[in-house]
Amino acid sequence: MEELYALLAALHRPCRRQGPGSAETSRLAMRLAGLEQAKGLKIADIGCGTGASSLLLAEDLAAEVTAVDFLPVFLEELQQRARARSLADRIRPLACSMTELPFADNEFDALWAEGSVYNMGFENGIRTWRRFLKPEGMLVLSEITWLSDVVPAEIRAYWEKEYPEIATASGKIAALERNGYSPVAYFALPENCWRENYYDPLRERFSVFLAEQGHSDRAREIVAMEEQEMALYEKFHQFYGYGMYIARKRA
Ligand SMILES: C[S@@+](CC[C@H](N)C(=O)[O-])C[C@H]1O[C@@H](n2cnc3c(N)ncnc32)[C@H](O)[C@@H]1O
């Protein structure tokens, strides 16, 4: 497992982001969450990777950001990027599992998690993290979501094996309501978030990564796995994508 994570980190580290997304959609989520006008915000970016959204939250909102990831290599990269943009004093990196966050109750104005909560399961994550939010605090996260109720068997079988909690937006919104949040907004990420911003730069890395790893069997397996995911997205992207969920903690 250690070796797998090290290889995944080596592959993804140079990329601007480690999952689908964009500055535009993060900014839209900030607006919909009503964070734009606020001052002195404390935000935790959970599963931040190399910090695409942490940097934006620190820059656009002048927020104090705690950037959490369990891969220290990503946090090192984030710190370099933060220094290059003179944002290091607003971003506190924290190497920690999202299942064991050392935060106090009511500590944060907002919790941010782009493409990461699935690692502990959507409902487990929103239930566990809720206490870290101030009353009326905002939860913003993106999550793999069915875009249609009717889905071809091939892609349904793939996702139900990879992530059985995949659901339509109405299912995710119901989970938010069940767990003490009032849903505020939802939108589906556009396709450029997947292609131009995530898969294209990742694909460009494959040959260098394989050379760096001496074309090892494990490295080739990882590239094959990523290529399979990309091929499925090309074939079935009208049926699934990332949904962005914005919800307020019910007091
Ligand atoms: C799909 S990436 C998204 C990264 C970033 N939010 C973005 O949008 O570019 C998921 C991130 O979650 C992190 N992660 C996975 N499991 C984790 C865990 N148990 N605790 C903390 N971070 C975790 C990974 O290292 C990775 O950086």
Side-chain angles (χ1 to χ4, degrees):
M1 209 56 177
E2 291 275 299
E3 187 204 359
L4 175 66
Y5 284 132
L7 285 171
L8 283 170
L11 172 62
H12 286 271
R13 175 176 178 158
C15 296
R16 177 128 23 113
R17 45 187 327 125
Q18 287 69 46
S22 70
E24 293 74 25
T25 51
S26 298
R27 288 195 173 110
L28 175 57
M30 288 179 209
R31 243 192 338 276
L32 292 168
L35 299 176
E36 276 187 323
Q37 311 305 328
K39 297 262 184 301
L41 291 172
K42 277 189 76 176
I43 302 178
D45 183 9
I46 304 170
C48 62
T50 59
S53 44
S54 306
L55 293 163
L56 213 60
L57 292 163
E59 193 156 51
D60 284 25
L61 305 179
E64 187 188 310
V65 179
T66 302
V68 182
D69 206 284
F70 76 159
L71 294 180
V73 171
F74 284 165
L75 296 176
E76 275 166 30
E77 182 69 32
L78 164 56
Q79 281 176 292
Q80 283 176 16
R81 294 180 191 186
R83 279 195 290 274
R85 286 164 64 170
S86 303
L87 294 169
D89 58 338
R90 293 193 205 147
I91 300 179
R92 178 172 75 105
L94 179 64
C96 171
S97 172
M98 62 176 70
T99 58
E100 288 162 20
L101 296 169
F103 301 146
D105 289 0
N106 306 327
E107 186 169 341
F108 292 99
D109 300 287
L111 299 178
W112 204 273
E114 292 201 34
S116 57
V117 69
Y118 77 93
N119 288 291
M120 63 185 289
F122 182 87
E123 191 147 7
N124 186 24
I126 63 173
R127 188 190 307 121
T128 308
W129 298 345
R130 184 178 179 278
R131 70 184 183 83
F132 306 134
L133 273 176
K134 293 177 184 170
E136 310 275 307
M138 299 304 297
L139 177 72
V140 177
L141 36 80
S142 62
E143 161 84 342
I144 194 86
T145 298
W146 291 129
L147 303 178
S148 163
D149 211 22
V150 182
V151 174
E154 181 185 347
I155 193 65
R156 185 174 289 285
Y158 172 83
W159 275 113
E160 285 185 350
K161 179 164 169 283
E162 291 297 316
Y163 186 51
E165 236 185 297
I166 188 169
T168 53
S170 56
K172 297 287 170 189
I173 288 168
L176 287 163
E177 289 169 335
R178 261 198 309 279
N179 286 281
Y181 298 90
S182 296
V184 169
Y186 160 79
F187 61 90
L189 296 196
E191 286 168 24
N192 74 314
C193 290
W194 290 76
R195 292 204 180 94
E196 285 87 334
N197 296 353
Y198 179 50
Y199 283 153
D200 291 353
L202 187 57
R203 194 182 292 108
E204 276 172 30
R205 254 225 33 86
F206 286 161
S207 56
V208 175
F209 168 72
L210 287 171
E212 284 167 356
Q213 301 303 325
H215 295 266
S216 72
D217 288 349
R218 290 299 270 157
R220 283 189 291 118
E221 271 170 35
I222 285 176
V223 168
M225 187 185 76
E226 302 279 11
E227 283 174 332
Q228 183 202 13
E229 196 192 293
M230 292 175 187
L232 286 171
Y233 184 74
E234 280 314 308
K235 193 168 171 192
F236 293 115
H237 58 84
Q238 67 271 44
F239 298 103
Y240 70 94
Y242 265 16
M244 185 72 86
Y245 297 86
I246 296 130
R248 180 176 290 110
K249 177 179 176 176
R250 274 202 309 270

